[in-house]
């Protein structure tokens, strides 16, 4: 057998209760195997199948039994988010050296589909941290920013959120009224954001603010703002119809 198939066999031989907690191991083994041989559609499909089953088992055992209670009480499922972090689901596409799991886009889609099938709220918490927080920092952050603002978030030690929507506008970024003004060597942000997923539990936020109104949507900038920064405050939680 090739090194790819040996890696997958090692995973397959793990007891189900152990294998179901190891998507990080699946990603690591698969990457090492695939790096030594030409890629195989069968091997990639097997890795994705294992990830799907891992997430499905987790949903059945841990998420579905409490999904109704979470929706009724608006409770943030800290214990489930911690378990999703252990499973490597909070930074699926972020490279391992940056704190993530290092899997591909299809793996992320599969994981999102399975988690959301059990609880849409858990799925949104996961997707915001992966797509709206980690991905921009991974793509556009400096090395120093990634060390502080990516690694602990992709690993799930910390949680991120994304501040775009405002009381007067939704996803129309060009209409954002939040401004950022340079004061010496500091940027001062002024404005209000609304309906920000993870906001009450996040350790940091990417906040979209206008730095040059004359450029309209091209005059927007993204700022990393740590929770607890002077002037950073949280409003009430809205009583929404779902995904609470």
């Amino acid at each position: 057998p090739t090194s790819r198939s040996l890696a997958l066999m090692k995973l397959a031989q793990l007891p189900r209760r152990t294998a179901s907690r190891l998507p990080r191991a699946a990603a690591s083994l698969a990457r090492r195997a695939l790096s030594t041989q030409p890629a195989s559609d069968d091997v990639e499909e097997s890795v994705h199948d294992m990830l799907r089953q891992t997430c499905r088992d987790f949903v059945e055992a841990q998420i579905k039994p409490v999904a109704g209670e979470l929706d009724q009480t608006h409770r943030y499922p800290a214990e489930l988010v911690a378990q999703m972090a252990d499973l490597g689901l909070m930074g699926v596409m972020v490279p391992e050296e940056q704190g993530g799991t290092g899997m591909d886009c299809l793996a992320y889609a599969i994981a999102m589909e399975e988690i959301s099938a059990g609880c849409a709220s858990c799925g949104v918490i996961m997707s915001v941290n992966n797509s709206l927080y980690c991905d921009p920092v991974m793509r556009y952050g400096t090395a120093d920013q990634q060390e502080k603002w990516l690694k602990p978030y992709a690993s799930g030690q910390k949680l991120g959120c994304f501040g775009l929507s405002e009381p007067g506008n939704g996803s129309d970024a060009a209409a954002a009224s939040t401004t950022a003004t340079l004061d010496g060597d500091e940027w001062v942000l002024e404005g209000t954001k609304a309906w920000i997923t993870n906001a009450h539990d996040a350790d940091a936020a990417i906040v979209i603010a206008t730095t040059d109104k004359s450029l309209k949507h091209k005059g927007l900038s993204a700022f990393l703002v740590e929770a607890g920064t002077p002037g950073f405050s949280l409003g009430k939680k809205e009583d929404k119809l779902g995904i609470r």
Side-chain angles (χ1 to χ4, degrees):
T2 66
S3 58
R4 295 196 310 275
S5 60
L6 284 172
L8 293 172
M9 287 168 62
K10 289 179 182 177
L11 261 175
Q13 290 168 0
L14 290 171
R16 172 173 287 271
R17 64 180 180 277
T18 302
S20 66
R21 298 197 298 270
L22 294 176
R24 285 188 192 275
S28 180
L29 283 170
R31 264 194 310 281
R32 288 199 295 271
L34 290 170
S35 67
T36 61
Q37 300 281 344
S40 161
D41 290 342
D42 290 341
V43 172
E44 290 181 358
E45 183 176 347
S46 296
V47 171
H48 291 136
D49 286 344
M50 284 190 292
L51 175 64
R52 184 187 300 278
Q53 192 59 54
T54 294
C55 294
R56 190 166 294 181
D57 289 346
F58 170 63
V59 166
E60 290 294 330
Q62 303 296 332
I63 294 182
K64 281 189 176 180
V66 298
E69 178 258 323
L70 294 176
D71 186 64
Q72 291 174 358
T73 63
H74 298 208
R75 181 173 68 84
Y76 174 75
E79 73 286 359
L80 296 179
V81 175
Q83 291 177 69
M84 288 193 288
D86 289 341
L87 288 169
L89 300 179
M90 300 304 285
V92 179
M93 295 176 61
V94 177
E96 278 190 298
E97 59 269 23
Q98 292 182 313
T101 308
M103 300 188 81
D104 61 11
C105 187
L106 179 56
Y108 177 41
I110 289 170
M112 274 299 309
E113 179 180 52
E114 293 298 328
I115 297 300
S116 299
C119 174
S121 295
C122 289
V124 170
I125 292 169
M126 174 185 158
S127 71
V128 166
N129 195 75
N130 274 268
S131 296
L132 297 184
Y133 182 86
C134 286
D135 190 71
V137 180
M138 179 181 71
R139 292 177 183 272
Y140 305 112
T142 65
D144 288 343
Q145 287 174 332
Q146 290 171 351
E147 185 69 28
K148 178 179 180 179
W149 303 99
L150 178 59
K151 278 189 176 181
Y153 294 83
S155 69
Q157 296 173 10
K158 293 185 176 182
L159 185 72
C161 66
F162 183 82
L164 171 62
S165 298
E166 298 181 356
N169 66 282
S171 57
D172 180 7
S177 60
T178 297
T179 60
T181 306
L182 188 60
D183 182 9
D185 60 354
E186 295 182 335
W187 286 94
V188 178
L189 277 68
E190 185 174 358
T192 301
K193 299 295 180 178
W195 314 295
I196 308 303
T197 302
N198 295 349
H200 281 259
D201 301 279
D203 297 280
I206 293 177
V207 179
I208 305 300
T210 298
T211 49
D212 189 338
K213 291 184 179 180
S214 67
L215 296 178
K216 298 183 179 180
H217 66 282
K218 291 186 178 181
L220 296 171
S221 299
F223 294 85
L224 283 162
V225 181
E226 189 169 18
T229 297
F232 185 101
S233 61
L234 299 169
K236 68 174 184 177
K237 292 185 178 181
E238 298 293 341
D239 187 13
K240 302 187 298 295
L241 295 177
I243 314 183
R244 295 179 170 182

